[in-house]
Amino acid sequence: MNRTKINELSKKINETVVIKCWISICRNQGKMIFLDFRDASGIVQGVILSDSAALEVGRSLRTEWVVEVTGKVNERPERNKKNDVQNGDIELEVLDVQILNKAETLPFPIDGDTRSVDENIRLKYRYLDLRNDRMQKNIRNRSMVQKFLRDYLYNENFIEIETPLLSAPTPEGSRSFVVPSRIWKGDFYSLPQSPQQYKQLLMVGGFEKYFQFAKCMRDEDTRGDRQPEFTQLDMEMSFTSEEGIMQLNEKMLIDLVSVNYPQKKIQQVPFPRMSYAEAMEKYGNDRPDIRNDKNDPNLLAFLWVIDFPMFEKTGEDNVDNTGEWTFTHNPFSKPKDQFMEDFMNMKNIAGILTTQYDITLNGFEIGGGSIRNYESATLKKTFEIMDYDEDRIQVNFGHMLKAFDFGAPPHGGIAWGFDRLMMLLENEPNIREVIPFAKTGEGKDLMMNAPCDISSAQKSELGIKIV
Ligand code: ASP
């Protein structure tokens, strides 16, 4: 007999069916055994009656065992119907049970709210944590939103393009993870902090509208709710403007909420805009929480923050080893037109504002982008302002400067912090709740035990000695 999914059972009243599932609950009442069965489509209550041939095997069953159940779908008597649970109007009368696999007692309970369980244990046994209702919902909704955004962008004539993970290092504001090359001993690939350069080169390559759900890797010191790898919805467009990109993204966010989260309301449409200076003056940060009611879990207050300074003085965490000045957001951003003259003359550097726009939601930055310097002379100026010498400019960015000399179109883009957006949409306290296989705040994968030592054979093959 073909397998029936649990969410199709209510259409099969009085029929005999086969389901394949886990046992969520097992209550042996002596004469009868009540069981809750669960598959990816839902739950149903089953009962093994006292005269059932399945009674004996039924007594041996335990929660989280995987079973194949043959049973008859019965409508429950009116007084036993439950409106508030899935399949509350039916019950599966169990005729036969085949045990497909047994399960040890789980290290923590997965019914109820697993957020109260020690997170290290949840992360070590993430595959069990993922069986929990709330985690199932979060990961399924993540997929639903990804599909929505993909469809949306395809409809807008974007194309989805993958960019390399094994790449070269570029100073982009954070540290890069590196991967040693076996063939080219002593040389290293770098993992991308974002697809920034590739997506701009795709514009030079003539694609005009690109997007990607991109894995980004940043080797940062432990900073609360950060993950060493995270997902961006990354976009780049040619022949566009700040306004064009902001409008497209705003509409996409509004549609995303109204289609997928109809219970939520957006505080203000069109999204308000605030200058960086005003945000700092009024709120003391550049991602102000402008919600009217911070206790309303369904309120979404989007805000564009614009008019950022392009450069700031280098501080102690000067990972790029730049001179007196470093970029605030993105070295590839273009200054606003009215500051182009100062920029090219390297004057009033502190006062130069960039085309950068950040999108914030309820006090979190959920995305940012800019219009780019698409001519080699202007791009080079940014590095000159940051005091890079010619050698360093050529080594790090020579390929970009060269590419821009072959007819690069004006272009710009944006990237969303997709995990953070999902965290906010799902009302979760941190991004680990919406990432299927998250690492700890200290960057450890407790399930796979990474990072970890490698064999000495592998080290010598790579020409690596640990000091
Ligand atoms: N690449 C930038 C970032 O990762 C986003 C962008 O400017 O498109 O923040």
Side-chain angles (χ1 to χ4, degrees), residues 88-133:
D89 55 340
I90 58 167
E91 194 169 60
L92 190 69
E93 183 187 333
V94 177
L95 306 173
D96 182 51
V97 179
Q98 301 291 326
I99 297 165
L100 300 181
N101 210 347
K102 297 183 176 180
E104 287 178 19
T105 305
L106 267 41
F108 58 93
I110 57 163
D111 50 349
D113 189 343
T114 57
R115 282 173 301 196
S116 58
V117 174
D118 177 352
E119 200 184 9
N120 285 347
I121 298 182
R122 290 178 59 203
L123 291 172
K124 177 163 181 197
Y125 300 98
R126 190 57 146 190
Y127 47 87
L128 297 178
D129 193 34
L130 289 173
R131 289 186 190 170
N132 174 258
D133 284 348

Tab-separated table of all heavy atoms in Angstrom, residues 88-133:
chain	number	residue	atom	x	y	z
A	88	GLY	N	-7.763	16.896	14.675
A	88	GLY	CA	-8.524	16.752	15.928
A	88	GLY	C	-9.875	16.089	15.735
A	88	GLY	O	-10.535	15.709	16.699
A	89	ASP	N	-10.284	15.926	14.475
A	89	ASP	CA	-11.593	15.313	14.215
A	89	ASP	C	-11.477	13.837	13.839
A	89	ASP	O	-12.478	13.167	13.617
A	89	ASP	CB	-12.321	16.075	13.094
A	89	ASP	CG	-11.477	16.176	11.833
A	89	ASP	OD1	-10.230	16.010	11.928
A	89	ASP	OD2	-12.048	16.407	10.758
A	90	ILE	N	-10.232	13.346	13.757
A	90	ILE	CA	-10.066	11.925	13.392
A	90	ILE	C	-9.122	11.224	14.365
A	90	ILE	O	-8.447	11.866	15.183
A	90	ILE	CB	-9.513	11.739	11.955
A	90	ILE	CG1	-8.153	12.457	11.822
A	90	ILE	CG2	-10.497	12.208	10.904
A	90	ILE	CD1	-7.396	12.080	10.570
A	91	GLU	N	-9.069	9.927	14.230
A	91	GLU	CA	-8.158	9.128	15.028
A	91	GLU	C	-7.769	7.934	14.159
A	91	GLU	O	-8.571	7.456	13.366
A	91	GLU	CB	-8.898	8.641	16.275
A	91	GLU	CG	-8.015	8.081	17.351
A	91	GLU	CD	-8.805	7.876	18.643
A	91	GLU	OE1	-9.790	7.102	18.621
A	91	GLU	OE2	-8.441	8.497	19.649
A	92	LEU	N	-6.524	7.487	14.312
A	92	LEU	CA	-6.090	6.351	13.517
A	92	LEU	C	-6.168	5.094	14.376
A	92	LEU	O	-5.459	4.985	15.385
A	92	LEU	CB	-4.647	6.577	13.025
A	92	LEU	CG	-4.149	5.579	11.988
A	92	LEU	CD1	-4.866	5.754	10.650
A	92	LEU	CD2	-2.636	5.721	11.798
A	93	GLU	N	-7.040	4.182	13.989
A	93	GLU	CA	-7.148	2.906	14.719
A	93	GLU	C	-6.048	1.989	14.189
A	93	GLU	O	-6.063	1.578	13.032
A	93	GLU	CB	-8.533	2.301	14.480
A	93	GLU	CG	-8.748	1.035	15.262
A	93	GLU	CD	-10.071	0.354	14.874
A	93	GLU	OE1	-11.016	1.061	14.426
A	93	GLU	OE2	-10.135	-0.878	15.002
A	94	VAL	N	-5.075	1.688	15.061
A	94	VAL	CA	-3.880	0.983	14.610
A	94	VAL	C	-4.169	-0.501	14.440
A	94	VAL	O	-4.652	-1.170	15.357
A	94	VAL	CB	-2.725	1.187	15.614
A	94	VAL	CG1	-1.489	0.399	15.183
A	94	VAL	CG2	-2.398	2.672	15.743
A	95	LEU	N	-3.876	-1.032	13.243
A	95	LEU	CA	-4.080	-2.453	12.969
A	95	LEU	C	-2.756	-3.208	12.993
A	95	LEU	O	-2.687	-4.355	13.383
A	95	LEU	CB	-4.754	-2.628	11.601
A	95	LEU	CG	-6.072	-1.842	11.406
A	95	LEU	CD1	-6.552	-1.946	9.962
A	95	LEU	CD2	-7.146	-2.342	12.364
A	96	ASP	N	-1.695	-2.531	12.581
A	96	ASP	CA	-0.394	-3.192	12.532
A	96	ASP	C	0.717	-2.146	12.655
A	96	ASP	O	0.567	-1.025	12.149
A	96	ASP	CB	-0.240	-3.941	11.195
A	96	ASP	CG	1.076	-4.690	11.122
A	96	ASP	OD1	1.388	-5.443	12.068
A	96	ASP	OD2	1.822	-4.495	10.132
A	97	VAL	N	1.804	-2.520	13.339
A	97	VAL	CA	2.949	-1.606	13.460
A	97	VAL	C	4.221	-2.346	13.083
A	97	VAL	O	4.503	-3.413	13.625
A	97	VAL	CB	3.115	-1.091	14.913
A	97	VAL	CG1	4.323	-0.154	15.002
A	97	VAL	CG2	1.870	-0.381	15.401
A	98	GLN	N	4.963	-1.814	12.140
A	98	GLN	CA	6.311	-2.314	11.834
A	98	GLN	C	7.305	-1.303	12.397
A	98	GLN	O	7.191	-0.104	12.119
A	98	GLN	CB	6.533	-2.394	10.313
A	98	GLN	CG	5.568	-3.276	9.563
A	98	GLN	CD	5.768	-4.748	9.888
A	98	GLN	OE1	6.905	-5.192	10.119
A	98	GLN	NE2	4.679	-5.504	9.949
A	99	ILE	N	8.263	-1.782	13.175
A	99	ILE	CA	9.284	-0.868	13.714
A	99	ILE	C	10.369	-0.691	12.661
A	99	ILE	O	11.022	-1.651	12.259
A	99	ILE	CB	9.870	-1.435	15.017
A	99	ILE	CG1	8.759	-1.533	16.075
A	99	ILE	CG2	11.015	-0.561	15.527
A	99	ILE	CD1	9.117	-2.395	17.262
A	100	LEU	N	10.554	0.542	12.180
A	100	LEU	CA	11.588	0.799	11.171
A	100	LEU	C	12.925	1.117	11.825
A	100	LEU	O	13.980	0.814	11.275
A	100	LEU	CB	11.168	1.956	10.252
A	100	LEU	CG	9.869	1.741	9.473
A	100	LEU	CD1	9.581	2.952	8.582
A	100	LEU	CD2	9.922	0.479	8.626
A	101	ASN	N	12.863	1.752	12.994
A	101	ASN	CA	14.100	2.011	13.738
A	101	ASN	C	13.757	2.422	15.158
A	101	ASN	O	12.754	3.100	15.388
A	101	ASN	CB	14.928	3.110	13.063
A	101	ASN	CG	16.418	2.929	13.285
A	101	ASN	OD1	16.833	2.129	14.137
A	101	ASN	ND2	17.217	3.671	12.542
A	102	LYS	N	14.611	1.987	16.090
A	102	LYS	CA	14.394	2.359	17.489
A	102	LYS	C	15.185	3.617	17.809
A	102	LYS	O	16.036	4.040	17.030
A	102	LYS	CB	14.842	1.210	18.390
A	102	LYS	CG	14.024	-0.050	18.175
A	102	LYS	CD	14.444	-1.142	19.128
A	102	LYS	CE	13.530	-2.352	18.928
A	102	LYS	NZ	13.888	-3.465	19.824
A	103	ALA	N	14.911	4.212	18.957
A	103	ALA	CA	15.647	5.405	19.373
A	103	ALA	C	15.992	5.287	20.849
A	103	ALA	O	15.179	4.835	21.654
A	103	ALA	CB	14.797	6.656	19.137
A	104	GLU	N	17.211	5.706	21.175
A	104	GLU	CA	17.579	5.817	22.592
A	104	GLU	C	16.777	6.958	23.207
A	104	GLU	O	16.243	7.808	22.491
A	104	GLU	CB	19.062	6.196	22.711
A	104	GLU	CG	20.009	5.088	22.389
A	104	GLU	CD	21.459	5.563	22.480
A	104	GLU	OE1	21.728	6.601	23.118
A	104	GLU	OE2	22.294	4.893	21.873
A	105	THR	N	16.789	7.014	24.529
A	105	THR	CA	16.162	8.167	25.190
A	105	THR	C	16.911	9.431	24.764
A	105	THR	O	18.145	9.469	24.785
A	105	THR	CB	16.255	8.008	26.721
A	105	THR	OG1	15.672	6.757	27.045
A	105	THR	CG2	15.530	9.130	27.435
A	106	LEU	N	16.182	10.439	24.335
A	106	LEU	CA	16.816	11.658	23.832
A	106	LEU	C	17.523	12.417	24.962
A	106	LEU	O	17.066	12.378	26.105
A	106	LEU	CB	15.754	12.567	23.185
A	106	LEU	CG	15.526	12.412	21.666
A	106	LEU	CD1	15.536	10.973	21.207
A	106	LEU	CD2	14.265	13.121	21.225
A	107	PRO	N	18.609	13.125	24.648
A	107	PRO	CA	19.340	13.853	25.694
A	107	PRO	C	18.562	15.041	26.270
A	107	PRO	O	18.943	15.588	27.307
A	107	PRO	CB	20.609	14.331	24.985
A	107	PRO	CG	20.352	14.182	23.534
A	107	PRO	CD	19.289	13.161	23.348
A	108	PHE	N	17.519	15.458	25.603
A	108	PHE	CA	16.670	16.534	26.144
A	108	PHE	C	15.297	16.398	25.507
A	108	PHE	O	15.163	15.840	24.409
A	108	PHE	CB	17.274	17.929	25.871
A	108	PHE	CG	17.496	18.232	24.419
A	108	PHE	CD1	16.533	18.892	23.663
A	108	PHE	CD2	18.678	17.853	23.777
A	108	PHE	CE1	16.743	19.173	22.321
A	108	PHE	CE2	18.890	18.125	22.433
A	108	PHE	CZ	17.917	18.789	21.710
A	109	PRO	N	14.273	16.891	26.194
A	109	PRO	CA	12.935	16.772	25.614
A	109	PRO	C	12.763	17.692	24.417
A	109	PRO	O	13.246	18.832	24.443
A	109	PRO	CB	12.011	17.192	26.757
A	109	PRO	CG	12.851	17.924	27.729
A	109	PRO	CD	14.276	17.553	27.507
A	110	ILE	N	12.123	17.209	23.371
A	110	ILE	CA	11.962	18.045	22.178
A	110	ILE	C	10.535	18.526	21.988
A	110	ILE	O	10.250	19.264	21.060
A	110	ILE	CB	12.440	17.313	20.905
A	110	ILE	CG1	11.696	15.994	20.737
A	110	ILE	CG2	13.938	17.112	20.918
A	110	ILE	CD1	11.809	15.424	19.344
A	111	ASP	N	9.624	18.084	22.880
A	111	ASP	CA	8.311	18.741	22.836
A	111	ASP	C	8.478	20.021	23.648
A	111	ASP	O	9.487	20.241	24.245
A	111	ASP	CB	7.217	17.819	23.402
A	111	ASP	CG	7.587	17.237	24.750
A	111	ASP	OD1	8.759	17.372	25.159
A	111	ASP	OD2	6.728	16.640	25.410
A	112	GLY	N	7.560	20.907	23.642
A	112	GLY	CA	7.746	22.139	24.418
A	112	GLY	C	8.808	23.046	23.798
A	112	GLY	O	9.229	22.837	22.666
A	113	ASP	N	9.251	24.040	24.569
A	113	ASP	CA	10.131	25.081	24.056
A	113	ASP	C	11.583	24.721	24.346
A	113	ASP	O	12.039	24.819	25.481
A	113	ASP	CB	9.772	26.419	24.718
A	113	ASP	CG	10.498	27.584	24.081
A	113	ASP	OD1	11.501	27.353	23.370
A	113	ASP	OD2	10.070	28.735	24.294
A	114	THR	N	12.334	24.344	23.319
A	114	THR	CA	13.721	23.917	23.570
A	114	THR	C	14.632	25.098	23.897
A	114	THR	O	15.796	24.894	24.242
A	114	THR	CB	14.309	23.132	22.365
A	114	THR	OG1	14.240	23.954	21.197
A	114	THR	CG2	13.569	21.833	22.132
A	115	ARG	N	14.113	26.320	23.790
A	115	ARG	CA	14.967	27.456	24.155
A	115	ARG	C	15.351	27.436	25.634
A	115	ARG	O	16.270	28.118	26.054
A	115	ARG	CB	14.284	28.783	23.800
A	115	ARG	CG	14.387	29.102	22.314
A	115	ARG	CD	13.582	30.312	21.939
A	115	ARG	NE	12.167	30.136	22.269
A	115	ARG	CZ	11.192	30.881	21.793
A	115	ARG	NH1	11.463	31.864	20.972
A	115	ARG	NH2	9.932	30.658	22.135
A	116	SER	N	14.602	26.644	26.441
A	116	SER	CA	14.955	26.580	27.862
A	116	SER	C	16.002	25.496	28.137
A	116	SER	O	16.471	25.333	29.257
A	116	SER	CB	13.691	26.323	28.691
A	116	SER	OG	13.099	25.123	28.246
A	117	VAL	N	16.388	24.756	27.095
A	117	VAL	CA	17.411	23.707	27.251
A	117	VAL	C	18.802	24.341	27.053
A	117	VAL	O	18.942	25.286	26.273
A	117	VAL	CB	17.184	22.597	26.188
A	117	VAL	CG1	18.291	21.562	26.204
A	117	VAL	CG2	15.814	21.959	26.358
A	118	ASP	N	19.804	23.843	27.766
A	118	ASP	CA	21.187	24.308	27.590
A	118	ASP	C	21.527	24.326	26.098
A	118	ASP	O	21.467	23.298	25.416
A	118	ASP	CB	22.114	23.332	28.350
A	118	ASP	CG	23.594	23.687	28.177
A	118	ASP	OD1	23.903	24.579	27.360
A	118	ASP	OD2	24.425	23.059	28.857
A	119	GLU	N	21.908	25.488	25.595
A	119	GLU	CA	22.072	25.614	24.148
A	119	GLU	C	23.210	24.751	23.601
A	119	GLU	O	23.148	24.275	22.460
A	119	GLU	CB	22.270	27.080	23.736
A	119	GLU	CG	21.936	27.259	22.251
A	119	GLU	CD	22.180	28.637	21.708
A	119	GLU	OE1	22.788	29.469	22.418
A	119	GLU	OE2	21.768	28.874	20.559
A	120	ASN	N	24.249	24.528	24.409
A	120	ASN	CA	25.342	23.678	23.927
A	120	ASN	C	24.859	22.265	23.637
A	120	ASN	O	25.320	21.617	22.698
A	120	ASN	CB	26.480	23.650	24.942
A	120	ASN	CG	27.269	24.949	24.918
A	120	ASN	OD1	27.118	25.751	23.996
A	120	ASN	ND2	28.079	25.161	25.934
A	121	ILE	N	23.920	21.794	24.455
A	121	ILE	CA	23.378	20.441	24.211
A	121	ILE	C	22.501	20.454	22.969
A	121	ILE	O	22.562	19.549	22.141
A	121	ILE	CB	22.611	19.949	25.456
A	121	ILE	CG1	23.591	19.859	26.620
A	121	ILE	CG2	21.936	18.602	25.189
A	121	ILE	CD1	23.025	19.360	27.903
A	122	ARG	N	21.714	21.510	22.833
A	122	ARG	CA	20.891	21.616	21.607
A	122	ARG	C	21.768	21.625	20.364
A	122	ARG	O	21.427	21.000	19.348
A	122	ARG	CB	20.080	22.914	21.623
A	122	ARG	CG	18.975	22.950	22.646
A	122	ARG	CD	18.285	24.294	22.605
A	122	ARG	NE	17.711	24.585	21.291
A	122	ARG	CZ	17.452	25.810	20.841
A	122	ARG	NH1	17.712	26.862	21.581
A	122	ARG	NH2	16.916	25.969	19.651
A	123	LEU	N	22.875	22.358	20.413
A	123	LEU	CA	23.718	22.482	19.216
A	123	LEU	C	24.482	21.190	18.936
A	123	LEU	O	24.721	20.833	17.788
A	123	LEU	CB	24.684	23.665	19.359
A	123	LEU	CG	24.011	25.038	19.321
A	123	LEU	CD1	24.999	26.143	19.664
A	123	LEU	CD2	23.374	25.319	17.953
A	124	LYS	N	24.840	20.478	20.006
A	124	LYS	CA	25.535	19.207	19.817
A	124	LYS	C	24.618	18.185	19.141
A	124	LYS	O	25.055	17.398	18.305
A	124	LYS	CB	26.009	18.692	21.174
A	124	LYS	CG	26.666	17.345	21.093
A	124	LYS	CD	27.474	17.033	22.319
A	124	LYS	CE	28.110	15.665	22.104
A	124	LYS	NZ	28.577	15.081	23.321
A	125	TYR	N	23.355	18.211	19.555
A	125	TYR	CA	22.370	17.287	18.964
A	125	TYR	C	21.385	18.091	18.116
A	125	TYR	O	20.184	17.970	18.280
A	125	TYR	CB	21.624	16.527	20.059
A	125	TYR	CG	22.511	15.688	20.940
A	125	TYR	CD1	22.936	16.158	22.177
A	125	TYR	CD2	22.928	14.425	20.533
A	125	TYR	CE1	23.756	15.391	22.993
A	125	TYR	CE2	23.744	13.647	21.342
A	125	TYR	CZ	24.157	14.134	22.573
A	125	TYR	OH	24.966	13.377	23.367
A	126	ARG	N	21.900	18.918	17.232
A	126	ARG	CA	21.028	19.833	16.505
A	126	ARG	C	19.950	19.076	15.728
A	126	ARG	O	18.815	19.516	15.615
A	126	ARG	CB	21.855	20.669	15.547
A	126	ARG	CG	21.089	21.804	14.914
A	126	ARG	CD	20.460	22.753	15.919
A	126	ARG	NE	20.425	24.129	15.450
A	126	ARG	CZ	20.109	25.154	16.211
A	126	ARG	NH1	19.800	24.974	17.480
A	126	ARG	NH2	20.095	26.372	15.714
A	127	TYR	N	20.316	17.901	15.183
A	127	TYR	CA	19.343	17.132	14.389
A	127	TYR	C	18.138	16.730	15.233
A	127	TYR	O	17.052	16.542	14.686
A	127	TYR	CB	20.025	15.894	13.776
A	127	TYR	CG	20.873	15.120	14.765
A	127	TYR	CD1	20.330	14.134	15.566
A	127	TYR	CD2	22.223	15.434	14.916
A	127	TYR	CE1	21.103	13.462	16.493
A	127	TYR	CE2	23.005	14.765	15.834
A	127	TYR	CZ	22.445	13.774	16.633
A	127	TYR	OH	23.199	13.130	17.554
A	128	LEU	N	18.308	16.643	16.545
A	128	LEU	CA	17.150	16.357	17.402
A	128	LEU	C	16.385	17.644	17.703
A	128	LEU	O	15.154	17.672	17.689
A	128	LEU	CB	17.595	15.699	18.716
A	128	LEU	CG	18.282	14.342	18.562
A	128	LEU	CD1	18.727	13.823	19.930
A	128	LEU	CD2	17.348	13.341	17.891
A	129	ASP	N	17.144	18.702	17.969
A	129	ASP	CA	16.521	20.007	18.217
A	129	ASP	C	15.646	20.401	17.026
A	129	ASP	O	14.578	21.008	17.184
A	129	ASP	CB	17.639	21.032	18.433
A	129	ASP	CG	17.126	22.346	18.994
A	129	ASP	OD1	16.162	22.317	19.792
A	129	ASP	OD2	17.684	23.396	18.637
A	130	LEU	N	16.095	20.022	15.823
A	130	LEU	CA	15.346	20.380	14.612
A	130	LEU	C	14.000	19.650	14.532
A	130	LEU	O	13.127	20.044	13.764
A	130	LEU	CB	16.183	20.086	13.360
A	130	LEU	CG	17.380	21.016	13.130
A	130	LEU	CD1	18.234	20.517	11.967
A	130	LEU	CD2	16.931	22.444	12.875
A	131	ARG	N	13.829	18.585	15.314
A	131	ARG	CA	12.530	17.896	15.307
A	131	ARG	C	11.463	18.692	16.058
A	131	ARG	O	10.279	18.436	15.920
A	131	ARG	CB	12.658	16.523	15.978
A	131	ARG	CG	13.447	15.516	15.173
A	131	ARG	CD	13.386	14.158	15.851
A	131	ARG	NE	14.315	13.226	15.237
A	131	ARG	CZ	14.612	12.026	15.730
A	131	ARG	NH1	14.045	11.608	16.854
A	131	ARG	NH2	15.457	11.231	15.113
A	132	ASN	N	11.912	19.647	16.860
A	132	ASN	CA	10.985	20.455	17.657
A	132	ASN	C	10.079	21.317	16.756
A	132	ASN	O	10.525	21.839	15.733
A	132	ASN	CB	11.823	21.340	18.586
A	132	ASN	CG	10.988	22.333	19.352
A	132	ASN	OD1	10.927	23.503	19.016
A	132	ASN	ND2	10.322	21.852	20.384
A	133	ASP	N	8.836	21.470	17.169
A	133	ASP	CA	7.850	22.216	16.372
A	133	ASP	C	8.324	23.614	15.971
A	133	ASP	O	8.180	24.022	14.824
A	133	ASP	CB	6.541	22.400	17.161
A	133	ASP	CG	5.724	21.117	17.185
A	133	ASP	OD1	6.059	20.191	16.412
A	133	ASP	OD2	4.769	21.053	17.984
